[in-house]
Amino acid sequence: MELSDANLQTLTEYLKKTLDPDPAIRRPAEKFLESVEGSQNYPLLLLTLLEKSQENVIKVCASVTFKNYIKRNWRIVEDEPNKICESDRIAIKANIVPLMLSSPEQIQKQLSDAISIIGREDFPQKWPDLLTEMVNRFQSGDFHVINGVLRTAHSLFKRYRHEFKSNELWTEIKLVLDAFALPLTNLFKATIELCSTHANDASALKVLFSSLVLIAKLFYSLNFQDLPEFFEDNMETWMTNFHTLLTLDNKLLQTDDEEEAGLLELLKSQICDNAALYAQKYDEEFQPYLPRFVTAIWNLLVTTGQEVKYDLLVSNAIQFLASVCERPHYKHLFEDQNTLTSICEKVIVPNMEFRAADEEAFEDNSEEYIRRDLEGSDIDTRRRAACDLVRGLCKFFEGPVTGIFSGYVNSMLQEYAKNPSVNWKHKDAAIYLVTSLASKAQTQKHGITKANELVNLMEFFVNHILPDLKSPSVNEFPVLKADGIKYIMIFRSQVPKEQLLLSIPLLINHLQAESIVVHTYAAHALERLFTVRGTNNTILITAAEMAPFVEVLLTNLFKALTLPGSSENEYIMKAIMRSFSLLQESIIPYIPSVITQLTQKLLAVSKNPSKPHFNHYMFESICLSIRITCKANPDAVGSFEEALFMVFTEILQNDVQEFIPYVFQVMSLLLEMHKNEIPSSYMALFPHLLQPVLWERTGNIPPLVRLLQAYLERGANTIASAAADKIPGLLGVFQKLIASKANDHQGFYLLNSIIEHMPPESVDQYRKQIFILLFQRLQNSKTTKFIKSFLVFINLYCIKYGALALQEIFDSIQPKMFGMVLEKIIIPEIQKVSGQVEKKICAVGITKILTECPPMMDTEYTKLWTPLLQALIGLFELPEDDTIPDEEHFIDIEDTPGYQTAFSQLAFAGKKEHDPVGQMVNNPRIHLAQSLHKLSTACPGRVPSMLSTSLNAEALQYLQGYLQAASVTLL
Amino acid sequence: MPVVNEPSERMRKFKNRGKDAAAMRRQRVEVNIELRKAKKDEQILKRRSISIVSMEKSPTPGEDKNVIIQLSLEEIVKAVNGNNPELQLQATQAARRMLSRQKDPPLNQIIELGIIPRLVEFLTRTDSAPLQFEAAWALTNIASGTSEHTRAVVEGGAIPAFIALLSSPHMHISEQSVWALGNIAGDGPLYRDALINCNVIPPLLALVSPVTPIGFLRNITWTLSNLCRNKNPYPPLDAVKKMLPVLTCLMEHEDKEILADSCWAVSYLTDGSNDRIQIVVDTGILPRLVELMGGPELIIMTPALRAIGNVVTGTDEQTQAAIDAGVLVILPLLLRHAKPTIQKEAAWTLSNIAAGPCQQIQQLITCRLLPPLVELLDKGDFKAQKEAVWAVANFTTGGTVEQVVELVQSGVLKPLLNLLLAKDSKTILVILDTISNLFLAAEKLGETERLCLLVEELDGLEKIEALQTHDNNMVYRAALNIIEKYFSGEENPDLQPGTDQDGLYNFSVEKQDFDF
């Protein structure tokens, strides 16, 4: 493409079309641009347009297109063609900096991004003059230009904050420091001077403070990896000025916006970060400055308002204090009683207060509120920072801090008592304070596990928490209700059982509260209480103790799902699941109504599944209903099928991907409940389960395999007689699975079920092919997981069809094959088999090979007999070999294409462990002894002579132990 | 039995996958580029001899502090190049005096006068000891400057002249030469080896005797240490072997500076490959080094600790030699030392011992190294904390399950998890690796669940969760991996099979020859 007016015109047309809302116009234009972007001069045309076009939209559009073009094409990937010709690259680098600096801000940002992308690849080697070019602009005095340079520098240098130390990186940083540190320092000083010159000029101040913010950020990046010599030498300049800036205020810089942080806040916040960086990493050098910063930051906190715009600044500042007060050598800065009192009073308490913004979230954005308050996604909130400071201070001053706060808690409670409806926020703060003071360790599973012994949790509970919850009106003071419920929940491991039992009806009652937060907390608290374990690790609250509340609990839980805003409330659904699991057969009388409500819910949400946790717990609840009911009355399975199949069919027909794996699991569970032959409704579905489209989704594989296994267990004969033509399809699934390193074990599950349950004649014609397939995989990509499954399978085959059949089929594929597998696979690898049942299968299989396979006694395979026996004794007696070759370690992670289809296993649809040799062999060691004895009676003298020639002494000793235990001797 | 492996051996293989002990032991040099100021606790490379008028005891006869003759630079050039011995001495003395003043000695100007070859020539003037001495002093001070300054002296031919002067009958001249040679050797490996090739060592060592005055002996020790110093390349082996016996003797001296400098020398000699470490170990000096490392003097403790720290970067046997010499008894004191650099070196040393086989890790437990390690992790200076993190990481990589349990019981988790907030990506990654190691051990004990709770209780979980958004790819992947593996669900992938017919998979194979 030439740099011609005509081309500029064409490009303008197409750029304009890419902004068209109509995809029929927009898409072809985008396609066109993509098709020409490989041409020489294309980027230069874009640069020309963004500079010279008459229309601002085109300028902006060209700049965005240019940035994206650079992002896609600049990097030169090894073995791939260079996508931008060299002359264009040179021209871009020569022009982009001045162009960026002379552009309006909107375009400047795009070009600045483009520069940093180019810089990431080319700087410093292939762009040596970039730094000088940028630094020279510092002298321009034009702060629009200077800010452009600073912004670009920031995007180039910010990677120093997260990359690993390396020679290459440090060489670059050194180069940057040499060229940049001094000019930056001078600019910093000059800018601060200008700030006082222009102290009354609001617009000038804004520009100057944006520079200062960027300079402070650059300081952070340049000082991150290590303390550079230059900055150590100039610490006085930087820190003194930072300190001054922290204490500075100027009315002109205060913003009206309550939410968005202003420049002053951003600057101070970055300075807190810078001070924290030095305090953490360069303590030795920074020590002289630190006390000043502590004082300044603390004063800053005392004088900063409650508005949301100060949140980041305040939480950064508090976190700084929290990190410093834990250090032994700064203890003295805090230990004075007045200091402590003042920090508690002026920094901690005010930041724990429930603010207007919190109240808004509580009412209008309860999901977010719950996420922050309950799940701890409150990392950078003020409350959280204040809480961390309490914990930090408690490290050295637990006694005094607890004392100071007790006073506060009491006075806040008194305030509340005077006039609850006006002063309820005081009580909220008191509860929060007690909680953060008392909590020393906490987990989701157990709540608070270690508490501050100086806080009387029980007294507070009885006097201040229970009364609120006992109040007849569940809708009054919802925030305090939520606080109270949360208190029970997080101190559940501390509160005695009687008290917990006392709170249960109260919690059940609060399921009816209108406030989403309150009824959600009630559900969550109940769910958590039902999992608390007592002293002997049994469930603390028993089904019997819950008996009086079953009906009201279930009623209120399902009713809560109908409250506005909670129709897919995962906490409620989880509480339902947990209640079922705790109450067991006492829910049976309510099942008809429960299952109706659940299926209706399922039908409703399957239109647009959006809450994965809710859905998961819903399916778990369905599974529990089935299990509990059918355990008492197996015939009830039919009524569940009746209730559920219609919805399931709809889900399968509409291909609701999120739900299909769940449906298969529930169906497996239902199918396994049947005692007789497989019902025809299931058989009709069978061919559909073999459809490749289902197997392409990784999330379907485990539940589908599980379901097919259930089919084989219950209906192998029906399949053999009524669906014999589907057997190749079934084996095709096995073939598909076996080809994948990740899914091969699933293929073996299926194959094992086929071998175990299908009538032999129905699979006869495929047997050889099955083995050839397995051998191919063994030859081409042998992994530990595959070998383990393979060993289990061949031994299962041996048990089912006999050792001779195994030898024959191997040797029919290739002469001497049986010997090769024994020597190269079974003997050296058997130690790797894991799992109780798996080991047993292998033991019984190998015993058969040793004792029921004539070729082992009278052909060249005989030399493998003793080694095989020795390997078997090893399997019995040696620790499992869990070595995994280096190259296999990352298979699982590397091959994961993404986890969006991850399989969601239902705990309550769980499959019982199946032991195919269970009845046949109880003790495989005794079984070996008996089998050897039988063999030795058949050919007297042979066995002892083989043992004495080459079995190692240790193994022989073990073997003699087995023989003794079985009370047999070898002849 | 063919399938038997020592279980512990096997576990080691598993846990140390991809890492062998050599890779785990971290040599001193990881990065050659320094952003920091040159370390204050390093030994001085070059020294200038400053005349402080009142202290100058005028070793040159005829010079009296009252009759100091001031000469201009022009006059100096003229006199030095002239033939009048009197004026030569005066001018050389004047130059030397300028070079010895406390502030801004005119090194460049003197060099630019072009008188260095002449000064070198004066070194050979056995007829005038005062002239030899003044020239030697002046050259010493020029050589004490930058590399360029040193080069000017060397290129003026000073090396052989100074070496010859070592054997001067005048002790003060010989001592001045030792000093000058120390400055030249301190410049770097090139001149160091130039000196060695000119056979500097025998005459230098010959100066060491029981009657050598302490001040002189200090100079000799310092120059010897500079001859041992620097890598790329290391000093030649035979030179090292010649110096070592003398250094070993010097390490028995009672003078602090002599001890310090001889320890520095040994620290340089051990800062290298294992065969170099072995030479030092073979002298049997380790117990003495350990003793010095535990002494009260910082200037001795620093290099002694460095030397021992270097030794334990070596083979398991070399590390064992250091352990047998008692290093583990002294290390707890040093880990608790007030000075951050000592804490750091001690932790580095510990980290390399922890990289050894589990028998050595056991000794580390027996000698009660875990409590100070945990303390350091909790409260130490950041540089020391970083090393402590490595120590824990190596411990969890090479230790047995029982040893790892011991480590956890000593309270390592809390400070370790707190350091996930460190502003250093590598440290964070090492901690995440360590956490994975702990989980592997917990899995073997069936205690995964308990470890999960412990990590969560200590606020580790939320820190690991937060790291899932870290800008460093490896850090975020490591964090994600731990979360996925131990704190949540499952994972699944795929590969490829055959074709379909009637919409179902086609089950078919072609036979091939097998050989496993």
Side-chain angles (χ1 to χ4, degrees), chain A residues 169-186:
Chain A
L169 180 71
W170 282 36
T171 311
E172 178 183 323
I173 295 177
K174 216 173 159 61
L175 194 108
V176 169
L177 286 166
D178 288 345
F180 207 78
L182 181 63
L184 186 73
T185 309
N186 292 336

Side-chain angles (χ1 to χ4, degrees), chain A residues 162 167 226 229 233 280-281 285 384 391 444-445 449 692 739 742 776 779 813-814 889 895 952, chain B residues 1 17 32 34-37 423 425 449 456-457 459 462 472 493 496 503 510-511 513-515:
Chain A
H162 62 255
N167 273 331
D226 204 347
E229 181 165 6
D233 291 341
Q280 186 190 80
K281 298 186 84 167
E285 293 82 359
R384 175 53 186 277
R391 284 227 226 160
Q444 286 289 327
K445 197 162 176 187
T449 50
Q776 268 178 9
Q779 174 120 323
I813 290 168
Q814 186 177 304
H889 251 286
D895 294 349
N952 101 1
Chain B
M1 298 173 85
R17 63 197 140 96
N32 299 321
E34 272 299 338
L35 301 177
R36 279 224 178 217
K37 251 186 183 341
K423 296 179 197 318
S425 307
E449 173 83 344
E456 190 183 350
E457 273 188 354
D459 300 327
E462 62 176 39
N472 187 300
Q496 284 307 312
E510 272 173 43
K511 193 191 164 308
D513 283 333
F514 299 109
D515 182 19

Side-chain angles (χ1 to χ4, degrees), chain A residues 744-757:
Chain A
D744 49 16
H745 63 292
Q746 295 284 352
F748 276 110
Y749 292 160
L750 189 58
L751 183 60
N752 289 344
S753 289
I754 293 172
I755 291 304
E756 199 187 334
H757 301 291

Side-chain angles (χ1 to χ4, degrees), chain B residues 148-393:
Chain B
E148 228 161 286
H149 299 140
T150 313
R151 192 173 67 214
V153 173
V154 172
E155 286 177 354
I159 290 181
F162 274 124
I163 293 179
L165 278 188
L166 287 176
S167 320
S168 164
H170 306 282
M171 192 189 282
H172 66 284
I173 295 179
S174 147
E175 184 174 355
Q176 193 61 53
S177 307
V178 169
W179 191 330
L181 290 166
N183 278 342
I184 295 171
D187 186 68
L190 197 68
Y191 288 159
R192 179 202 64 203
D193 288 350
L195 289 175
I196 291 172
N197 290 334
C198 289
N199 225 6
V200 70
I201 291 174
L204 186 63
L205 295 180
L207 295 172
V208 180
S209 81
V211 294
T212 317
I214 294 237
F216 193 2
L217 207 51
R218 286 180 185 157
N219 262 328
I220 297 169
T221 315
W222 175 72
T223 297
L224 279 173
S225 74
N226 269 355
L227 285 168
C228 296
R229 197 168 184 166
N230 285 309
K231 320 190 213 182
N232 305 316
Y234 291 105
L237 271 182
D238 53 333
V240 172
K241 284 180 184 157
K242 273 184 219 152
M243 287 186 282
L244 258 176
V246 177
L247 285 169
T248 322
C249 288
L250 289 170
M251 280 179 64
E252 302 295 337
H253 208 278
E254 57 210 12
D255 181 72
K256 283 190 279 183
E257 286 180 36
I258 292 174
L259 285 174
D261 282 337
S262 48
C263 285
W264 278 113
V266 176
S267 81
Y268 302 141
L269 295 179
T270 48
D271 183 6
S273 55
N274 294 348
D275 51 331
R276 297 208 166 242
I277 294 174
Q278 192 56 43
I279 294 171
V280 173
V281 172
D282 288 342
T283 62
I285 198 69
L286 295 192
R288 175 63 178 160
L289 268 175
V290 169
E291 187 188 330
L292 292 172
M293 180 178 109
E297 294 295 338
L298 191 65
I299 58 162
I300 302 170
M301 173 195 289
T302 303
L305 172 57
R306 285 196 152 217
I308 290 292
N310 289 339
V311 169
V312 301
T313 64
T315 62
D316 289 349
E317 291 72 27
Q318 290 164 348
T319 305
Q320 191 58 46
I323 295 174
D324 294 342
V327 61
L328 293 177
V329 181
I330 308 297
L331 273 184
L333 305 171
L334 304 187
L335 290 167
R336 292 180 168 122
H337 198 276
K339 219 170 157 2
T341 41
I342 296 289
Q343 293 176 8
K344 183 193 117 187
E345 285 283 328
W348 175 64
T349 304
L350 182 59
S351 78
N352 278 328
I353 299 174
C358 56
Q359 294 82 348
Q360 288 177 356
I361 291 180
Q362 193 55 44
Q363 283 181 289
L364 202 146
I365 296 172
T366 315
C367 291
R368 306 206 31 82
L369 264 295
L370 294 185
L373 175 64
V374 171
E375 273 169 46
L376 193 65
L377 213 51
D378 187 22
K379 300 182 203 133
D381 179 79
F382 184 66
K383 293 185 289 289
Q385 286 177 320
K386 271 205 293 198
E387 295 300 336
V389 165
W390 273 109
V392 174

